[in-house]
Amino acid sequence: MKTINSYSSDSFVIEGGRELKGSVRVSGSKNASLPVILATILVKGESVIEDVPELLDVWTAVEILESLGGYVERENGRFKVNTEKISRWDVPEEIVKKMRASILCMGPLLARFGKVLIPKPGGCSIGKRPIDQHLKFFERAGGSIKEVNGFFQIEIKKKKPVEFRFDLITVTGTENALLYLSSVRGKSILKNIAIEPEVMDLINVLNKMGARIYVEGRTAEIEGNEDLKPFTHRVIPDRIEAGTLMVGAVMTSGDVILENVNVEHIGNILEKLEEAGGGVEILSKNKIRVFRKEELKPVNIETAEYPGFPTDMQAQFMSMASISKGISRIKENIFENRFHHVWELRKMGADIEVKGREAIVRGVRELRGAEVKSTDLRASASLILAGLVARGKTIIRDIYHLDRGYERLEEKLGKLGALIERLPVCVS
Ligand code: EPZ
């Protein structure tokens, strides 16, 4: 399988000052693709998943399936996943270390084998990211959990329907529970669940497979099915990639048409974009025009669980706020350490003060090109956006982080007029 040049620490070089103009197609969602790919573990047979983005994290999910005995064929975004021969329930340590979302194997492997052996996922740069809620659910579902040399060994001898309430809203915690319960006969209830579009997309897939899942507010009723079937599914568009491109259009005084967006999923982003001086024209339910309407204005943002403002868009809006006229306040309520981009934006002349979970951004007239470092996926995106408007040249190192979650972003931006080039590690 062709994989993108992933393990080099490539750099991007950006010449600022160009307006983004034209139209671009948004890729399928990373955070919808991952749970849907791993949901194939629940069945024996061949499932087909359409519009899967070519991303490092997607290849890691494929690696997991293949390490367990599955087989994946890919032809331009269409994945044929055969899980007939999956026979292992131990997830390789080196894979989990690469991608925290590997924990989404727990639900399907416990459903299929009644056991799973998985390394304790590390935290990452944006926070400790514990999985206590995942474990609490599996315990409630009758699991015996042992921690042995940094691995979790979970066994569920007898499957039974459960009623469980999450102490806090967790996206992958909700997804793990749904993946497991989809094959448990009887009626289960999950309370205080996450309702992100990516969770709802997974629910659509599980219902196609034969489960009966019904959501009202933050409560899900699940009628599991012991005889789930393979499925065909097209993943939803990536609302965070869409949001990132929309911020780029507004920041650069551009005018961009985005295809393959789901307008219903981005209401919270559009609202803040218009507040900041962006113009929005809904051309259809999956096509939208975004442009600079007026002078950039400061915005106050508080990240929250969906349908609140997405934490995955916080860094991108901070880049825009750094050149807006006035003071913006950005509060990060979801992760305890998601301001790494601040130190890098300061190198470009941004005036940002961090007080605990709040960043106070005083807009400056312009940013200047500099050499900066990616530290995590969305921070990388914010530095690219800053580079698009900065005076002169910006070099962004360690683009590996970006390749985890954005499909060929430099090609998309280049097509819209940006002067952006990828430098492979050998010359950077
Ligand atoms: C998902 O991560 C996304 N990843 C993240 O996207 C996204 O930022 C996050 O949800 C919030 O929307 C995928 O879907 C693969 P959480 P997840 O469990 O599920 C705490 C990106 O950039 N928590 O909803 O790991 C946790 O520490 C990535 O695409 C517990 O304390 O996030 C965090 O502070 C980054 N105990 C908060 O809850 C638990 O058991 C929300 O975490 C679980 C979570």
Side-chain angles (χ1 to χ4, degrees):
M1 166 184 292
K2 179 180 85 59
T3 57
I4 43 180
N5 178 12
S6 51
Y7 296 96
S8 64
S9 50
D10 291 358
S11 299
F12 275 169
V13 180
I14 303 174
E15 191 65 44
R18 306 284 292 252
E19 296 169 357
L20 296 184
K21 297 249 166 137
S23 74
V24 63
R25 184 183 187 279
V26 175
S27 299
S29 162
K30 163 178 89 84
N31 289 348
S33 300
L34 298 177
V36 169
I37 290 169
L38 296 172
T40 59
I41 295 172
L42 291 164
V43 292
K44 293 187 175 163
E46 180 172 278
S47 299
V48 176
I49 311 171
E50 307 268 0
D51 213 12
V52 180
E54 291 204 6
L55 300 174
L56 267 180
D57 279 3
V58 165
W59 303 137
T60 304
V62 169
E63 263 183 271
I64 293 173
L65 288 183
E66 290 172 342
S67 73
L68 299 171
Y71 174 71
V72 182
E73 242 179 283
R74 177 184 64 83
E75 61 217 19
N76 44 50
R78 179 186 160 87
F79 274 41
K80 282 200 259 184
V81 185
N82 194 311
T83 49
E84 191 70 43
K85 296 202 168 50
I86 285 194
S87 59
R88 300 180 65 120
W89 55 82
D90 57 327
V91 189
E93 185 168 10
E94 66 281 4
I95 297 184
V96 176
K97 295 289 172 222
K98 258 194 296 187
M99 181 179 77
R100 192 184 166 286
S102 316
I103 55 175
L104 285 169
C105 287
M106 294 160 84
L109 288 173
L110 282 163
R112 184 162 176 161
F113 298 111
K115 47 189 162 187
V116 62
L117 182 68
I118 188 161
K120 268 179 86 172
C124 72
S125 63
I126 63 177
K128 287 194 306 296
R129 303 181 76 178
I131 60 166
D132 54 293
Q133 296 297 307
H134 302 239
L135 299 174
K136 198 170 170 186
F137 164 75
F138 288 122
E139 216 158 25
R140 183 88 180 68
S144 68
I145 302 176
K146 286 199 206 81
E147 201 181 314
V148 182
N149 309 332
F151 278 71
F152 286 122
Q153 188 177 314
I154 308 177
E155 206 158 344
I156 298 183
K157 287 203 169 42
K158 189 173 174 334
K159 283 186 179 176
K160 58 181 175 110
V162 289
E163 181 154 337
F164 178 78
R165 177 184 181 77
F166 287 97
D167 300 328
L168 53 86
I169 295 169
T170 157
V171 172
T172 46
T174 301
E175 290 168 342
N176 242 335
L178 290 166
L179 283 159
Y180 173 71
L181 292 173
S182 59
S183 76
V184 175
R185 196 155 41 85
K187 186 163 121 180
S188 296
I189 308 262
L190 288 177
K191 293 190 171 171
N192 201 23
I193 64 166
I195 52 172
E196 269 66 4
E198 296 77 27
V199 176
M200 304 314 284
D201 203 36
L202 173 65
I203 288 174
N204 289 341
V205 167
L206 296 173
N207 283 336
K208 281 182 184 178
M209 296 170 80
R212 278 289 154 267
I213 303 174
Y214 169 72
V215 174
E216 176 129 0
R218 287 193 183 277
T219 297
E221 264 183 36
I222 303 105
E223 187 68 47
N225 178 340
E226 289 174 328
D227 185 24
L228 294 173
K229 300 288 183 229
F231 59 90
T232 296
H233 185 70
R234 170 179 291 277
V235 297
I236 56 172
D238 194 312
R239 63 191 167 102
I240 304 301
E241 183 194 27
T244 305
L245 292 165
M246 294 192 289
V247 169
V250 176
M251 275 178 83
T252 60
S253 307
D255 190 329
V256 174
I257 288 181
L258 291 97
E259 321 245 351
N260 194 42
V261 300
N262 185 322
V263 176
E264 280 159 37
H265 296 163
I266 53 176
N268 41 34
I269 301 173
L270 294 181
E271 203 182 300
K272 281 297 168 190
L273 210 60
E274 290 186 298
E275 218 182 289
V280 174
E281 191 185 346
I282 311 283
L283 303 171
S284 77
K285 68 179 179 35
N286 41 38
K287 193 169 170 182
I288 184 171
R289 175 183 164 238
V290 175
F291 53 97
R292 168 74 83 80
K293 190 170 171 195
E294 50 198 310
E295 192 176 58
L296 287 181
K297 293 177 289 185
V299 287
N300 292 331
I301 284 172
E302 291 240 7
T303 63
E305 299 87 356
Y306 193 88
F309 185 89
T311 171
D312 294 347
M313 281 301 303
Q314 177 256 108
Q316 298 90 316
F317 268 76
M318 191 180 290
S319 284
M320 180 155 64
S322 62
I323 54 167
S324 304
K325 231 181 173 50
I327 298 177
S328 300
R329 290 175 178 279
I330 298 178
K331 188 127 183 301
E332 174 52 62
N333 292 314
I334 304 294
F335 290 107
E336 69 271 24
N337 196 8
R338 202 173 196 175
F339 282 146
H340 293 291
H341 40 288
V342 169
W343 282 264
E344 301 304 313
L345 289 170
R346 282 179 181 153
K347 290 179 191 165
M348 300 176 74
D351 177 353
I352 308 170
E353 189 191 349
V354 172
K355 282 186 182 154
R357 288 204 171 202
E358 186 171 59
I360 296 124
V361 187
R362 291 177 180 78
V364 294
R365 204 174 50 75
E366 73 174 357
L367 297 174
R368 55 178 183 274
E371 181 165 337
V372 292
K373 244 175 89 55
S374 302
T375 50
D376 58 85
L377 171 55
R378 306 303 173 183
S380 315
S382 79
L383 296 174
I384 290 169
L385 293 173
L388 292 177
V389 299
R391 171 181 291 281
K393 187 186 286 191
T394 299
I395 295 178
I396 306 173
R397 300 232 173 266
D398 290 347
I399 280 304
Y400 159 84
H401 294 284
L402 189 92
D403 290 334
R404 295 192 51 179
Y406 286 91
E407 186 179 36
R408 296 193 296 275
L409 188 62
E410 73 271 27
E411 278 175 36
K412 289 174 179 162
L413 292 172
K415 251 182 63 185
L416 293 172
L419 289 178
I420 177 170
E421 199 192 341
R422 178 187 284 262
L423 287 185
V425 63
C426 44
V427 297
S428 61

